[in-house]
Amino acid sequence: MGAFIVIVEDEEDILELIEYNLEKEGFDTMGFTSTKNVSQLLEEEDVDLLIMDRNLPGVEGSEFVGQMREIGVETPVIYLTAKNKESDIEEGFERGGDDYITKPFNMKELILRLKAILKRTQKDKTEGKVVYRDIILDLGSRELFIEGNNIELTKLEFDLLHTLISNQNIVLDRDYLLEHVWGGDAIYQDRTVNVAINRLKEKIDADKSKEYIKTVRGVGYTLC
Amino acid sequence: MGAFIVIVEDEEDILELIEYNLEKEGFDTMGFTSTKNVSQLLEEEDVDLLIMDRNLPGVEGSEFVGQMREIGVETPVIYLTAKNKESDIEEGFERGGDDYITKPFNMKELILRLKAILKRTQKDKTEGKVVYRDIILDLGSRELFIEGNNIELTKLEFDLLHTLISNQNIVLDRDYLLEHVWGGDAIYQDRTVNVAINRLKEKIDADKSKEYIKTVRGVGYTLC
DNA sequence: GGGCTATGTAACAAAATGGTTACAGAGCCT
DNA sequence: AGGCTCTGTAACCATTTTGTTACATAGCCC
């Protein structure tokens, strides 16, 4: 469960301490000493959790989160705050923050809460079903049904189809797919996508005349 | 009804007073003057009730219970509190506490409430059964029946099956299982889950042709 | 149609994954 | 202490899955 966690904290010592400990727990982290660049990151990347100091120079932490919420960013937040007056805490909650921890804080506590929040939100992620025409993808049991028939998929095939369905009618290029299905770091060839798509096609378009996955020459693939 | 009751109270006089009276009533008790070691006890032992001072030095009592709830500890709580402002009481309830008593308190009242809570929760405990197809898991006696046959399980196997049944039709990955079955702190290998699952499979799928626990390659396991 | 590029296909090799077993330490009971 | 069971770890092997490569085919522009 290598979640991606962004930390905003102006005191560098504390920032490093948090990053060190979270990475030791197996999380991917990225630290900032101001909210600069953070909004862009939240919008564009798949950030699982934000840890945010409330007492930043310049913008108030909760102010910032408020703005994020307004443009539809739902990333859960843990506030770090020296204040522990109740009014402040309430305000933090009101603005859509999910938890708060008062400084000085216990690293174990932070990690405990963080895991609790992740558990909650990650679970939401896996609940439910995604549907496209005759195709039903059950995210919980990881089963695929086409016209009621259960079709077995490998992990890769499932993730690939999941991404395609989530972006139906949008053409996804190979780079996008590599990044989202295969994951960021490792480097693969384009052809990898190619082959994977075709193995998936084989199962999906099997006996049907219908063609679900369409190749868009020169660009990528789409479920249209 | 020799329930096991843990008491956390920093004033030793009061602590002893409570322990004395509860033991006279036939309860097993264990007293602490701080929350140190208590979390571990709650996680690992079968504690029936927690009596907790809210005004502890250091961690807030309700804060502590909140953390316990987040990692899945369901032990009911009675708060002792000098505060009786409504806001405090509400907050205590919100965090999952089950009752509160304001100091100075009447020992008789404490015991009365305590018995009321125990009656309620003990009943839940013994009535609970989880069913999946031919499988009946009796949470009270911790017995497993498959098609009426009693099959012996070790603690680990039982907890594992319990988690699987509670999440039937959902694929649980190894991290999830490690966290929920083995518990948060300790660090184990994936392979540990692997072996445990297979030991469980051996017992469950024994003479049957039916396969209850399904391996989802690359992801985890599920009861499907 | 010819020539170009992009894509599909098949085959192979490498890597990942899970089952199985053996073993050792921990815990428990006698 | 001795013997028991339970459980975590490591090693090994079989299998599946996946990446890569080479080659065939299809699409597109002239």
Side-chain angles (χ1 to χ4, degrees), chain B residues 78-85 89 100-106 109 113:
Chain B
I78 295 180
Y79 289 115
L80 303 178
T81 166
K83 308 174 178 177
N84 57 1
K85 291 172 291 172
I89 289 162
Y100 69 95
I101 291 190
T102 54
K103 289 200 276 192
F105 62 91
N106 177 317
E109 186 189 349
R113 295 210 182 197

Side-chain angles (χ1 to χ4, degrees), chain A residues 1 86 99-100 108-109 112-113 115-116 119 123 138 140-143 152 155, chain B residues 63 67 70-71 95 167 169-171 175-176 179-180 185 214 216-219:
Chain A
M1 91 119 107
E86 225 167 287
D99 210 343
Y100 69 95
K108 224 173 176 178
E109 184 189 351
L112 220 64
R113 296 209 180 194
K115 283 186 175 169
K119 203 191 298 172
K123 203 169 189 184
D138 186 320
S141 63
R142 297 183 68 93
E143 284 175 314
E152 297 233 333
K155 172 175 154 55
Chain B
E63 189 84 21
Q67 290 169 28
E70 279 173 17
I71 58 172
R95 287 188 181 267
N167 296 284
N169 298 320
I170 294 177
V171 181
D175 284 339
Y176 182 93
E179 196 166 318
H180 286 74
D185 301 336
K214 189 177 145 200
V216 181
R217 197 166 232 276
V219 190

Side-chain angles (χ1 to χ4, degrees), chain B residues 24 35 37 43 52 55 61 68 75 90 96 107 123 129 183 207 214:
Chain B
K24 210 172 61 181
T35 55
N37 297 325
E43 280 183 75
M52 158 134 283
N55 294 63
M68 288 293 97
T75 318
E90 271 171 23
M107 189 56 70
K123 204 169 188 184
K129 282 186 184 133
D207 41 4
K214 189 177 145 200

